[in-house]
mmCIF file with all atom_site columns, all heavy atoms in Angstrom:
data_model
loop_
_atom_site.group_PDB
_atom_site.id
_atom_site.type_symbol
_atom_site.label_atom_id
_atom_site.label_alt_id
_atom_site.label_comp_id
_atom_site.label_asym_id
_atom_site.label_entity_id
_atom_site.label_seq_id
_atom_site.pdbx_PDB_ins_code
_atom_site.Cartn_x
_atom_site.Cartn_y
_atom_site.Cartn_z
_atom_site.occupancy
_atom_site.B_iso_or_equiv
_atom_site.pdbx_formal_charge
_atom_site.auth_seq_id
_atom_site.auth_comp_id
_atom_site.auth_asym_id
_atom_site.auth_atom_id
_atom_site.pdbx_PDB_model_num
ATOM 1   N N   . PRO A 1 64 ? -0.885  8.815   -8.774  1.00 95.00 ? 249 PRO A N   1
ATOM 2   C CA  . PRO A 1 64 ? -0.801  7.360   -8.959  1.00 95.00 ? 249 PRO A CA  1
ATOM 3   C C   . PRO A 1 64 ? -1.025  6.633   -7.637  1.00 95.00 ? 249 PRO A C   1
ATOM 4   O O   . PRO A 1 64 ? -0.575  7.075   -6.580  1.00 95.00 ? 249 PRO A O   1
ATOM 5   C CB  . PRO A 1 64 ? 0.620   7.125   -9.479  1.00 95.00 ? 249 PRO A CB  1
ATOM 6   C CG  . PRO A 1 64 ? 1.383   8.339   -9.099  1.00 95.00 ? 249 PRO A CG  1
ATOM 7   C CD  . PRO A 1 64 ? 0.410   9.479   -8.986  1.00 95.00 ? 249 PRO A CD  1
ATOM 8   N N   . ALA A 1 65 ? -1.746  5.553   -7.727  1.00 95.00 ? 250 ALA A N   1
ATOM 9   C CA  . ALA A 1 65 ? -2.098  4.780   -6.539  1.00 95.00 ? 250 ALA A CA  1
ATOM 10  C C   . ALA A 1 65 ? -2.250  3.320   -6.934  1.00 95.00 ? 250 ALA A C   1
ATOM 11  O O   . ALA A 1 65 ? -2.400  2.995   -8.117  1.00 95.00 ? 250 ALA A O   1
ATOM 12  C CB  . ALA A 1 65 ? -3.409  5.302   -5.945  1.00 95.00 ? 250 ALA A CB  1
ATOM 13  N N   . PHE A 1 66 ? -2.205  2.447   -5.951  1.00 97.00 ? 251 PHE A N   1
ATOM 14  C CA  . PHE A 1 66 ? -2.536  1.041   -6.177  1.00 97.00 ? 251 PHE A CA  1
ATOM 15  C C   . PHE A 1 66 ? -3.907  0.776   -5.603  1.00 97.00 ? 251 PHE A C   1
ATOM 16  O O   . PHE A 1 66 ? -4.152  1.034   -4.426  1.00 97.00 ? 251 PHE A O   1
ATOM 17  C CB  . PHE A 1 66 ? -1.519  0.114   -5.521  1.00 97.00 ? 251 PHE A CB  1
ATOM 18  C CG  . PHE A 1 66 ? -0.195  0.101   -6.222  1.00 97.00 ? 251 PHE A CG  1
ATOM 19  C CD1 . PHE A 1 66 ? 0.896   0.753   -5.681  1.00 97.00 ? 251 PHE A CD1 1
ATOM 20  C CD2 . PHE A 1 66 ? -0.045  -0.547  -7.427  1.00 97.00 ? 251 PHE A CD2 1
ATOM 21  C CE1 . PHE A 1 66 ? 2.130   0.764   -6.333  1.00 97.00 ? 251 PHE A CE1 1
ATOM 22  C CE2 . PHE A 1 66 ? 1.175   -0.547  -8.088  1.00 97.00 ? 251 PHE A CE2 1
ATOM 23  C CZ  . PHE A 1 66 ? 2.263   0.104   -7.540  1.00 97.00 ? 251 PHE A CZ  1
ATOM 24  N N   . ARG A 1 67 ? -4.788  0.285   -6.465  1.00 96.00 ? 252 ARG A N   1
ATOM 25  C CA  . ARG A 1 67 ? -6.086  -0.158  -5.958  1.00 96.00 ? 252 ARG A CA  1
ATOM 26  C C   . ARG A 1 67 ? -5.897  -1.571  -5.423  1.00 96.00 ? 252 ARG A C   1
ATOM 27  O O   . ARG A 1 67 ? -5.453  -2.459  -6.141  1.00 96.00 ? 252 ARG A O   1
ATOM 28  C CB  . ARG A 1 67 ? -7.145  -0.146  -7.055  1.00 96.00 ? 252 ARG A CB  1
ATOM 29  C CG  . ARG A 1 67 ? -8.552  -0.348  -6.500  1.00 96.00 ? 252 ARG A CG  1
ATOM 30  C CD  . ARG A 1 67 ? -9.600  -0.275  -7.584  1.00 96.00 ? 252 ARG A CD  1
ATOM 31  N NE  . ARG A 1 67 ? -9.459  -1.422  -8.490  1.00 96.00 ? 252 ARG A NE  1
ATOM 32  C CZ  . ARG A 1 67 ? -9.580  -1.353  -9.801  1.00 96.00 ? 252 ARG A CZ  1
ATOM 33  N NH1 . ARG A 1 67 ? -9.834  -0.227  -10.394 1.00 96.00 ? 252 ARG A NH1 1
ATOM 34  N NH2 . ARG A 1 67 ? -9.447  -2.431  -10.545 1.00 96.00 ? 252 ARG A NH2 1
ATOM 35  N N   . LEU A 1 68 ? -6.203  -1.756  -4.168  1.00 97.00 ? 253 LEU A N   1
ATOM 36  C CA  . LEU A 1 68 ? -5.956  -3.039  -3.518  1.00 97.00 ? 253 LEU A CA  1
ATOM 37  C C   . LEU A 1 68 ? -7.128  -3.974  -3.722  1.00 97.00 ? 253 LEU A C   1
ATOM 38  O O   . LEU A 1 68 ? -8.290  -3.569  -3.649  1.00 97.00 ? 253 LEU A O   1
ATOM 39  C CB  . LEU A 1 68 ? -5.725  -2.828  -2.023  1.00 97.00 ? 253 LEU A CB  1
ATOM 40  C CG  . LEU A 1 68 ? -4.500  -1.984  -1.669  1.00 97.00 ? 253 LEU A CG  1
ATOM 41  C CD1 . LEU A 1 68 ? -4.508  -1.659  -0.188  1.00 97.00 ? 253 LEU A CD1 1
ATOM 42  C CD2 . LEU A 1 68 ? -3.213  -2.692  -2.068  1.00 97.00 ? 253 LEU A CD2 1
ATOM 43  N N   . PHE A 1 69 ? -6.808  -5.247  -3.958  1.00 97.00 ? 254 PHE A N   1
ATOM 44  C CA  . PHE A 1 69 ? -7.877  -6.245  -4.026  1.00 97.00 ? 254 PHE A CA  1
ATOM 45  C C   . PHE A 1 69 ? -8.396  -6.488  -2.614  1.00 97.00 ? 254 PHE A C   1
ATOM 46  O O   . PHE A 1 69 ? -7.637  -6.459  -1.642  1.00 97.00 ? 254 PHE A O   1
ATOM 47  C CB  . PHE A 1 69 ? -7.352  -7.535  -4.631  1.00 97.00 ? 254 PHE A CB  1
ATOM 48  C CG  . PHE A 1 69 ? -6.849  -7.363  -6.040  1.00 97.00 ? 254 PHE A CG  1
ATOM 49  C CD1 . PHE A 1 69 ? -5.610  -7.844  -6.405  1.00 97.00 ? 254 PHE A CD1 1
ATOM 50  C CD2 . PHE A 1 69 ? -7.604  -6.700  -6.980  1.00 97.00 ? 254 PHE A CD2 1
ATOM 51  C CE1 . PHE A 1 69 ? -5.131  -7.675  -7.701  1.00 97.00 ? 254 PHE A CE1 1
ATOM 52  C CE2 . PHE A 1 69 ? -7.148  -6.521  -8.277  1.00 97.00 ? 254 PHE A CE2 1
ATOM 53  C CZ  . PHE A 1 69 ? -5.909  -7.020  -8.633  1.00 97.00 ? 254 PHE A CZ  1
ATOM 54  N N   . ILE A 1 70 ? -9.695  -6.746  -2.538  1.00 95.00 ? 255 ILE A N   1
ATOM 55  C CA  . ILE A 1 70 ? -10.316 -6.928  -1.226  1.00 95.00 ? 255 ILE A CA  1
ATOM 56  C C   . ILE A 1 70 ? -9.691  -8.133  -0.521  1.00 95.00 ? 255 ILE A C   1
ATOM 57  O O   . ILE A 1 70 ? -9.583  -9.207  -1.095  1.00 95.00 ? 255 ILE A O   1
ATOM 58  C CB  . ILE A 1 70 ? -11.845 -7.104  -1.378  1.00 95.00 ? 255 ILE A CB  1
ATOM 59  C CG1 . ILE A 1 70 ? -12.466 -5.798  -1.862  1.00 95.00 ? 255 ILE A CG1 1
ATOM 60  C CG2 . ILE A 1 70 ? -12.477 -7.545  -0.060  1.00 95.00 ? 255 ILE A CG2 1
ATOM 61  C CD1 . ILE A 1 70 ? -13.883 -5.919  -2.380  1.00 95.00 ? 255 ILE A CD1 1
ATOM 62  N N   . GLY A 1 71 ? -9.237  -7.893  0.684   1.00 95.00 ? 256 GLY A N   1
ATOM 63  C CA  . GLY A 1 71 ? -8.676  -8.987  1.473   1.00 95.00 ? 256 GLY A CA  1
ATOM 64  C C   . GLY A 1 71 ? -7.276  -9.411  1.074   1.00 95.00 ? 256 GLY A C   1
ATOM 65  O O   . GLY A 1 71 ? -6.773  -10.430 1.534   1.00 95.00 ? 256 GLY A O   1
ATOM 66  N N   . ALA A 1 72 ? -6.615  -8.643  0.212   1.00 97.00 ? 257 ALA A N   1
ATOM 67  C CA  . ALA A 1 72 ? -5.297  -9.041  -0.283  1.00 97.00 ? 257 ALA A CA  1
ATOM 68  C C   . ALA A 1 72 ? -4.179  -8.744  0.707   1.00 97.00 ? 257 ALA A C   1
ATOM 69  O O   . ALA A 1 72 ? -3.141  -9.400  0.685   1.00 97.00 ? 257 ALA A O   1
ATOM 70  C CB  . ALA A 1 72 ? -5.006  -8.346  -1.621  1.00 97.00 ? 257 ALA A CB  1
ATOM 71  N N   . VAL A 1 73 ? -4.397  -7.725  1.544   1.00 97.00 ? 258 VAL A N   1
ATOM 72  C CA  . VAL A 1 73 ? -3.336  -7.351  2.470   1.00 97.00 ? 258 VAL A CA  1
ATOM 73  C C   . VAL A 1 73 ? -3.866  -7.313  3.904   1.00 97.00 ? 258 VAL A C   1
ATOM 74  O O   . VAL A 1 73 ? -5.068  -7.167  4.134   1.00 97.00 ? 258 VAL A O   1
ATOM 75  C CB  . VAL A 1 73 ? -2.730  -5.955  2.137   1.00 97.00 ? 258 VAL A CB  1
ATOM 76  C CG1 . VAL A 1 73 ? -2.134  -5.947  0.745   1.00 97.00 ? 258 VAL A CG1 1
ATOM 77  C CG2 . VAL A 1 73 ? -3.760  -4.838  2.297   1.00 97.00 ? 258 VAL A CG2 1
ATOM 78  N N   . THR A 1 74 ? -2.957  -7.434  4.843   1.00 97.00 ? 259 THR A N   1
ATOM 79  C CA  . THR A 1 74 ? -3.289  -7.191  6.234   1.00 97.00 ? 259 THR A CA  1
ATOM 80  C C   . THR A 1 74 ? -2.619  -5.900  6.664   1.00 97.00 ? 259 THR A C   1
ATOM 81  O O   . THR A 1 74 ? -1.541  -5.553  6.172   1.00 97.00 ? 259 THR A O   1
ATOM 82  C CB  . THR A 1 74 ? -2.832  -8.344  7.144   1.00 97.00 ? 259 THR A CB  1
ATOM 83  O OG1 . THR A 1 74 ? -1.429  -8.535  6.971   1.00 97.00 ? 259 THR A OG1 1
ATOM 84  C CG2 . THR A 1 74 ? -3.557  -9.623  6.788   1.00 97.00 ? 259 THR A CG2 1
ATOM 85  N N   . LYS A 1 75 ? -3.295  -5.189  7.556   1.00 95.00 ? 260 LYS A N   1
ATOM 86  C CA  . LYS A 1 75 ? -2.807  -3.893  8.009   1.00 95.00 ? 260 LYS A CA  1
ATOM 87  C C   . LYS A 1 75 ? -2.588  -3.947  9.506   1.00 95.00 ? 260 LYS A C   1
ATOM 88  O O   . LYS A 1 75 ? -3.423  -4.489  10.229  1.00 95.00 ? 260 LYS A O   1
ATOM 89  C CB  . LYS A 1 75 ? -3.838  -2.797  7.714   1.00 95.00 ? 260 LYS A CB  1
ATOM 90  C CG  . LYS A 1 75 ? -4.111  -2.590  6.261   1.00 95.00 ? 260 LYS A CG  1
ATOM 91  C CD  . LYS A 1 75 ? -5.566  -2.256  6.017   1.00 95.00 ? 260 LYS A CD  1
ATOM 92  C CE  . LYS A 1 75 ? -6.463  -3.469  6.108   1.00 95.00 ? 260 LYS A CE  1
ATOM 93  N NZ  . LYS A 1 75 ? -7.787  -3.274  5.534   1.00 95.00 ? 260 LYS A NZ  1
ATOM 94  N N   . LYS A 1 76 ? -1.508  -3.370  9.932   1.00 95.00 ? 261 LYS A N   1
ATOM 95  C CA  . LYS A 1 76 ? -1.243  -3.299  11.363  1.00 95.00 ? 261 LYS A CA  1
ATOM 96  C C   . LYS A 1 76 ? -0.754  -1.894  11.651  1.00 95.00 ? 261 LYS A C   1
ATOM 97  O O   . LYS A 1 76 ? 0.131   -1.391  10.954  1.00 95.00 ? 261 LYS A O   1
ATOM 98  C CB  . LYS A 1 76 ? -0.177  -4.338  11.726  1.00 95.00 ? 261 LYS A CB  1
ATOM 99  C CG  . LYS A 1 76 ? -0.065  -4.589  13.198  1.00 95.00 ? 261 LYS A CG  1
ATOM 100 C CD  . LYS A 1 76 ? 1.002   -5.638  13.460  1.00 95.00 ? 261 LYS A CD  1
ATOM 101 C CE  . LYS A 1 76 ? 1.438   -5.574  14.907  1.00 95.00 ? 261 LYS A CE  1
ATOM 102 N NZ  . LYS A 1 76 ? 2.710   -6.244  15.126  1.00 95.00 ? 261 LYS A NZ  1
ATOM 103 N N   . ILE A 1 77 ? -1.366  -1.248  12.639  1.00 91.00 ? 262 ILE A N   1
ATOM 104 C CA  . ILE A 1 77 ? -0.938  0.104   12.982  1.00 91.00 ? 262 ILE A CA  1
ATOM 105 C C   . ILE A 1 77 ? 0.402   0.022   13.704  1.00 91.00 ? 262 ILE A C   1
ATOM 106 O O   . ILE A 1 77 ? 0.581   -0.784  14.619  1.00 91.00 ? 262 ILE A O   1
ATOM 107 C CB  . ILE A 1 77 ? -1.990  0.784   13.876  1.00 91.00 ? 262 ILE A CB  1
ATOM 108 C CG1 . ILE A 1 77 ? -3.280  0.982   13.072  1.00 91.00 ? 262 ILE A CG1 1
ATOM 109 C CG2 . ILE A 1 77 ? -1.486  2.132   14.383  1.00 91.00 ? 262 ILE A CG2 1
ATOM 110 C CD1 . ILE A 1 77 ? -4.475  1.401   13.914  1.00 91.00 ? 262 ILE A CD1 1
ATOM 111 N N   . VAL A 1 78 ? 1.361   0.824   13.253  1.00 89.00 ? 263 VAL A N   1
ATOM 112 C CA  . VAL A 1 78 ? 2.673   0.824   13.879  1.00 89.00 ? 263 VAL A CA  1
ATOM 113 C C   . VAL A 1 78 ? 3.063   2.250   14.282  1.00 89.00 ? 263 VAL A C   1
ATOM 114 O O   . VAL A 1 78 ? 2.560   3.225   13.731  1.00 89.00 ? 263 VAL A O   1
ATOM 115 C CB  . VAL A 1 78 ? 3.757   0.241   12.936  1.00 89.00 ? 263 VAL A CB  1
ATOM 116 C CG1 . VAL A 1 78 ? 3.520   -1.242  12.722  1.00 89.00 ? 263 VAL A CG1 1
ATOM 117 C CG2 . VAL A 1 78 ? 3.816   0.983   11.622  1.00 89.00 ? 263 VAL A CG2 1
ATOM 118 N N   . ASN A 1 79 ? 3.965   2.321   15.176  1.00 79.00 ? 264 ASN A N   1
ATOM 119 C CA  . ASN A 1 79 ? 4.467   3.601   15.668  1.00 79.00 ? 264 ASN A CA  1
ATOM 120 C C   . ASN A 1 79 ? 5.390   4.229   14.633  1.00 79.00 ? 264 ASN A C   1
ATOM 121 O O   . ASN A 1 79 ? 6.136   3.534   13.947  1.00 79.00 ? 264 ASN A O   1
ATOM 122 C CB  . ASN A 1 79 ? 5.224   3.359   16.966  1.00 79.00 ? 264 ASN A CB  1
ATOM 123 C CG  . ASN A 1 79 ? 5.463   4.641   17.716  1.00 79.00 ? 264 ASN A CG  1
ATOM 124 O OD1 . ASN A 1 79 ? 6.138   5.529   17.230  1.00 79.00 ? 264 ASN A OD1 1
ATOM 125 N ND2 . ASN A 1 79 ? 4.908   4.729   18.906  1.00 79.00 ? 264 ASN A ND2 1
ATOM 126 N N   . LEU A 1 80 ? 5.350   5.553   14.536  1.00 68.00 ? 265 LEU A N   1
ATOM 127 C CA  . LEU A 1 80 ? 6.198   6.260   13.583  1.00 68.00 ? 265 LEU A CA  1
ATOM 128 C C   . LEU A 1 80 ? 7.690   6.023   13.821  1.00 68.00 ? 265 LEU A C   1
ATOM 129 O O   . LEU A 1 80 ? 8.485   6.134   12.919  1.00 68.00 ? 265 LEU A O   1
ATOM 130 C CB  . LEU A 1 80 ? 5.932   7.765   13.671  1.00 68.00 ? 265 LEU A CB  1
ATOM 131 C CG  . LEU A 1 80 ? 4.710   8.282   12.928  1.00 68.00 ? 265 LEU A CG  1
ATOM 132 C CD1 . LEU A 1 80 ? 4.436   9.718   13.318  1.00 68.00 ? 265 LEU A CD1 1
ATOM 133 C CD2 . LEU A 1 80 ? 4.915   8.183   11.431  1.00 68.00 ? 265 LEU A CD2 1
ATOM 134 N N   . LYS A 1 81 ? 8.038   5.692   15.017  1.00 66.00 ? 266 LYS A N   1
ATOM 135 C CA  . LYS A 1 81 ? 9.451   5.473   15.350  1.00 66.00 ? 266 LYS A CA  1
ATOM 136 C C   . LYS A 1 81 ? 10.099  4.390   14.504  1.00 66.00 ? 266 LYS A C   1
ATOM 137 O O   . LYS A 1 81 ? 11.309  4.370   14.336  1.00 66.00 ? 266 LYS A O   1
ATOM 138 C CB  . LYS A 1 81 ? 9.596   5.101   16.825  1.00 66.00 ? 266 LYS A CB  1
ATOM 139 C CG  . LYS A 1 81 ? 9.544   6.301   17.739  1.00 66.00 ? 266 LYS A CG  1
ATOM 140 C CD  . LYS A 1 81 ? 9.694   5.881   19.189  1.00 66.00 ? 266 LYS A CD  1
ATOM 141 C CE  . LYS A 1 81 ? 9.385   7.033   20.114  1.00 66.00 ? 266 LYS A CE  1
ATOM 142 N NZ  . LYS A 1 81 ? 8.999   6.556   21.441  1.00 66.00 ? 266 LYS A NZ  1
#
Side-chain angles (χ1 to χ4, degrees):
F251 288 105
R252 191 178 67 221
L253 297 171
F254 299 130
I255 292 165
V258 300
T259 57
K260 297 144 283 196
K261 194 179 162 198
I262 294 169
V263 292
N264 195 298
L265 279 169
K266 280 180 191 157

